[in-house]
Amino acid sequence: MALSDATRDLTDIVAAVRRPQAWRYNRGEGALVAVVESEGDHADMVQSILAAGAPGCRIVRMAPPPHPHPHADSTVLAAEATLAVLEQLAALAREQGQLVIANLSWEVSLDDLALPCSNQVASLVRQLSQEGLVLTCWAAGNSGPAPSSTALAGFCCTNSTPWSVSVGALDRRGRPQPYSSALGRCSPLHPTVSAPTYGMVPYGGAYQDMGETGGYTSACVPLVSAALAIMMTQWPGWRCQDYRAALRASAKPVGLPRPLTHPAAGWGLLQADRAVAAVPLARAHPSWLLEGLVLAPLSGVGPPAR
């Protein structure tokens, strides 16, 4: 197979989220992205997609601690391991003196995290975001929008907190993939935005044809992480809340008119260049007001001042 044939799908996907147009601003040179994965080939896939979207960003690979339950699925981490990873990310941010974009595609086991949304994981995600240390960017999950999905069953304690970015999956026609998780118990804004995945996916040092399903929601996260890298390079020092609102404000609606959001696609298809342009205007977006005036006070932190 010719390289041009193998990379065609990835090129089309990058174009669908308007990444080439975003490069007129920068290529993410000022951003630091931590890729946190539990499998080597999986991490290679994420890093390849991330590099295709923001080739100038610095990428740090981080391996989470071993799962304390040896018989659990290899992609599932306990709450204790998640806390350890978040603390490692915070230490990296302090060491480097800049905000870290955390690209996370693994899950917390519900058996290990049968707790309400005020648990330690959600609290630390919120704290790191509000301190401007770490902006977590999670895969929405691959359990589908049915009530039995992990997102609806309580997975909100990580990837659908209001203080993180969650990413859903679309097919090549711009429709939500049937496996992409939706909604969230502690934040109705889940997923935040969506990105396409289908066909050829970089995997294990080569390319693997994964058909219409693509690389699942894990393959969508680095597209959004790359957009955030460009946004943060163009607008350094802004609040994580501003970047999240800019993603929502600039997304292309999927199936429903504004101001409604699609349960499985969030605010819509990522539009990288428009997200960059939206950062200075993000505080006028309803979701910014929701975070700053409703969710933050409920957490004990008042609306931010700038």
Side-chain angles (χ1 to χ4, degrees):
M1 178 183 298
L3 181 62
S4 59
D5 294 334
T7 59
R8 182 183 62 248
D9 289 335
L10 181 57
T11 300
D12 290 346
I13 286 170
V14 170
V17 298
R18 297 180 62 85
R19 188 55 41 71
Q21 292 89 332
W23 284 343
R24 73 174 185 264
Y25 294 101
N26 62 76
R27 297 197 173 203
E29 293 85 354
L32 176 60
V33 184
V35 175
V36 186
E37 300 292 343
S38 56
E39 296 180 6
D41 287 349
H42 196 261
D44 291 341
M45 174 190 73
V46 170
Q47 183 167 342
S48 296
I49 297 173
L50 176 59
C57 73
R58 288 191 296 150
I59 301 175
V60 176
R61 292 273 287 266
M62 295 182 61
H67 195 282
H69 306 299
H71 301 296
D73 187 285
S74 61
T75 63
V76 177
L77 296 176
E80 294 82 3
T82 305
L83 286 169
V85 167
L86 292 173
E87 289 165 356
Q88 291 172 9
L89 290 166
L92 177 64
R94 294 187 181 100
E95 175 188 330
Q96 298 295 319
Q98 70 176 104
L99 176 68
V100 172
I101 304 166
N103 191 108
L104 302 119
S105 300
W106 37 260
E107 300 179 358
V108 172
S109 170
L110 293 178
D111 294 334
D112 297 315
L113 189 54
L115 298 171
C117 294
S118 60
N119 69 84
Q120 288 180 289
V121 173
S123 296
L124 187 52
V125 167
R126 181 188 67 227
Q127 176 186 335
L128 296 179
S129 171
Q130 292 176 336
E131 290 182 4
L133 291 174
V134 181
L135 175 51
T136 53
C137 193
W138 304 78
N142 304 312
S143 302
S148 60
S149 74
T150 52
L152 287 170
F155 193 31
C156 67
C157 293
T158 54
N159 70 344
S160 71
T161 68
W163 302 278
S164 60
V165 173
S166 58
V167 186
L170 305 177
D171 63 18
R172 67 177 67 242
R173 288 169 290 277
R175 303 175 304 187
Q177 293 276 20
Y179 56 74
S180 191
S181 297
L183 305 177
R185 190 176 60 192
C186 75
S187 175
L189 309 178
H190 173 75
T192 311
V193 292
S194 296
T197 180
Y198 48 79
M200 291 291 178
V201 175
Y203 208 88
Y207 281 82
Q208 181 174 333
D209 188 353
M210 302 186 74
E212 284 298 310
T213 61
Y216 296 90
T217 53
S218 293
C220 300
V221 183
L223 292 167
V224 177
S225 295
L228 287 166
I230 297 172
M231 294 162 67
M232 293 175 181
T233 296
Q234 185 68 21
W235 305 104
W238 288 67
R239 299 179 65 90
C240 294
Q241 183 178 347
D242 299 323
Y243 300 129
R244 288 191 293 268
L247 287 173
R248 298 186 186 111
S250 58
K252 182 179 179 180
V254 174
L256 294 172
R258 291 285 191 243
L260 299 176
T261 62
H262 193 292
W267 290 81
L269 171 65
L270 169 70
Q271 302 288 272
D273 61 327
R274 295 170 184 169
V276 178
V279 172
L281 306 174
R283 298 187 179 195
H285 193 257
S287 69
W288 191 95
L289 296 175
L290 177 64
E291 283 193 48
L293 301 179
V294 179
L295 300 176
L298 287 177
S299 70
V301 178
R306 188 177 181 84

